Amino acid sequence: MASPPFSAFQQAVLDWFDLEGRHDLPWQRPRTPYRVWISEVMLQQTQVATVIGYFERFMRHFPRLAVLAEADLDEVLALWSGLGYYSRARNLHRTARIVTERHAGELPADPAVLTTLPGIGRSTAGAISSLGFDRRAAILDGNVRRVLARCHGVEGWPGASKVEKDLWRLSEELTPSTRCADYNQAMMDLGATVCTRSRPACADCPLAGTCVARRQGRQTELPAPRRTGPAPVRSTLMLLMVDPDRRVRLQKRPPAGIWANLWAFPEFDGLEELNAWFALHGIHAHRLEPLPPRRHTFSHFHLDYTPVIVHCGVGHTGVEEAAQGLWHPLGAEIGFGVPAPVRRLLHELERVI
């Protein structure tokens, strides 16, 4: 007798997906390797509801990989502004150019080849291969980790090497040979909509009957969180320098580090450094207006920043020769990449200047 095409686990997941899964997301209409790739990168550390608008705008500007490869990096970063993790956008741009040069403009179908491209890890490669090319390939994004850890009672923080290895083994074993695209989409949907990080809807879960975490009442314990100490805090002054024509000074950040290649306000450790910079560039500043301090949280530290509005008159031309910079008219369209705090401050300046 032929063996059944799916195990009980796989069948339960697929049956649930047919009835309850998400079948009408923008990147599923149509579901091409390029669209899958862009959506998967956008969805890293970002929820579907947030990504949809960004994805649709991105596709309007870069409908094909070749168009993305030909674009200027500033164009890409401008459309990415607000999503955070800007290295993902830079890697998209680099990969598009590499694929154009080395793979005849087509994303490879083989996950092993995909992982050689910038910004494509093992799980993203599996998603592109399975969802984009309908090949059997396992995935292990955050949602899938959570479903597998709870359902199979996998102890420990999923980012630990041994735990991650165990979860990958489970994912590889459970990924079916047929309907792989549907199964992988189902596992992601299940983690995103039912087996959520807090308050999972166990009564609606197709795997509830065999779930170790549910049987033991440990849904809030599995998967185990990472044990970390308090995040470090960095402090800075952000200079919001405005000229008589209601233009504000922005400068391009270095190609490496936080907010790499984005346009932002000049930053200083304190007023002494700020005043020295004014003197160096012959800036005649008056009416310094500190705004309330605020905090921006990165994945590994907090940035406490105090915006300082400086009205400068005649004499600001000395700064024109400084490293890559521009004067941006307040209220004008922002056609380049800026970090979220900078975008918020630009809008705030429009109201107060």
Side-chain angles (χ1 to χ4, degrees):
M1 177 181 294
S3 58
F6 302 113
S7 69
F9 182 97
Q10 295 163 345
Q11 192 67 61
V13 170
L14 287 166
D15 287 347
W16 175 86
F17 177 70
D18 289 340
L19 294 174
E20 305 292 342
R22 296 180 289 194
H23 302 272
D24 200 33
L25 295 169
W27 40 91
Q28 297 171 327
R29 315 189 307 269
R31 193 172 66 186
T32 67
Y34 173 65
R35 293 168 69 86
V36 169
W37 169 48
I38 300 299
S39 68
E40 285 296 316
V41 174
M42 284 188 170
L43 287 164
Q44 295 168 9
Q45 293 99 22
T46 312
Q47 295 183 342
V48 166
T50 300
V51 163
I52 288 175
Y54 283 94
F55 178 84
E56 291 175 336
R57 286 190 293 274
F58 201 91
M59 283 297 125
R60 284 196 295 271
H61 282 80
F62 310 121
R64 298 179 308 281
L65 186 146
V67 180
L68 175 60
E70 293 172 359
D72 185 82
L73 179 58
D74 270 341
E75 294 179 69
V76 180
L77 292 173
L79 288 168
W80 201 270
S81 291
L83 273 175
Y85 301 94
Y86 292 92
S87 61
R88 296 181 294 171
R90 292 189 291 272
N91 283 332
L92 280 178
H93 191 241
R94 287 176 58 205
T95 290
R97 295 193 165 181
I98 291 171
V99 169
T100 299
E101 295 168 1
R102 303 179 191 173
H103 300 281
E106 300 290 340
L107 283 165
D110 185 346
V113 179
L114 284 166
T115 56
T116 66
L117 297 170
I120 299 182
R122 184 177 175 184
S123 186
T124 300
I128 295 169
S129 184
S130 61
L131 300 177
F133 293 97
D134 204 23
R135 291 177 47 143
R136 184 187 183 277
I139 63 172
L140 193 67
D141 74 346
N143 289 315
V144 177
R145 289 171 189 256
R146 189 163 55 252
V147 172
L148 292 178
R150 283 175 176 164
C151 194
H152 295 272
V154 178
E155 302 284 351
W157 174 54
S161 178
K162 180 183 182 305
V163 181
E164 184 176 41
K165 185 177 179 180
D166 289 343
L167 290 170
W168 266 115
R169 177 183 53 79
L170 276 171
S171 184
E172 292 280 3
E173 290 175 356
L174 291 168
T175 300
S177 298
T178 59
R179 292 195 69 188
C180 181
D182 287 346
Y183 172 83
N184 280 343
Q185 186 64 59
M187 289 292 286
M188 291 188 285
D189 289 355
L190 195 58
T193 63
V194 176
C195 191
T196 53
R197 186 178 287 107
S198 60
R199 292 184 291 184
C202 295
D204 300 327
C205 182
L207 304 172
T210 57
C211 179
V212 172
R214 183 173 186 267
R215 185 169 65 247
Q216 297 177 352
R218 303 181 61 205
Q219 295 96 319
T220 59
E221 299 174 24
L222 296 175
R226 183 180 188 178
R227 295 180 180 177
T228 60
V233 178
R234 301 180 192 173
S235 299
T236 190
L237 292 181
M238 284 190 182
L239 174 61
L240 282 56
M241 187 164 56
V242 183
D243 74 2
D245 297 322
R246 296 186 78 248
R247 300 183 305 165
V248 63
R249 181 70 182 175
L250 296 173
Q251 64 186 37
K252 199 165 193 178
R253 294 180 65 88
I258 296 300
W259 293 336
N261 286 318
L262 298 183
W263 292 86
F265 299 112
E267 292 185 23
F268 301 91
D269 290 336
L271 286 173
E272 184 176 343
E273 184 182 6
L274 174 59
N275 287 326
W277 189 81
F278 282 155
L280 176 66
H281 294 291
I283 306 293
H284 302 294
H286 52 89
R287 290 174 57 198
L288 274 66
E289 300 177 16
L291 298 177
R294 44 208 85 184
R295 169 169 289 189
H296 182 75
T297 297
F298 293 90
S299 58
H300 55 293
F301 74 96
H302 301 295
L303 178 67
D304 286 349
Y305 61 100
T306 300
V308 179
I309 300 176
V310 176
H311 297 267
C312 59
V314 178
H316 69 250
T317 52
V319 78
E320 300 286 359
E321 299 176 2
Q324 290 183 297
L326 58 81
W327 290 91
H328 175 70
L330 290 174
E333 180 181 356
I334 304 171
F336 39 83
V338 298
V342 172
R343 184 175 294 272
R344 287 193 292 269
L345 284 170
L346 285 171
H347 293 322
E348 188 173 336
L349 275 177
E350 288 178 40
R351 296 192 300 270
V352 300
I353 299 299

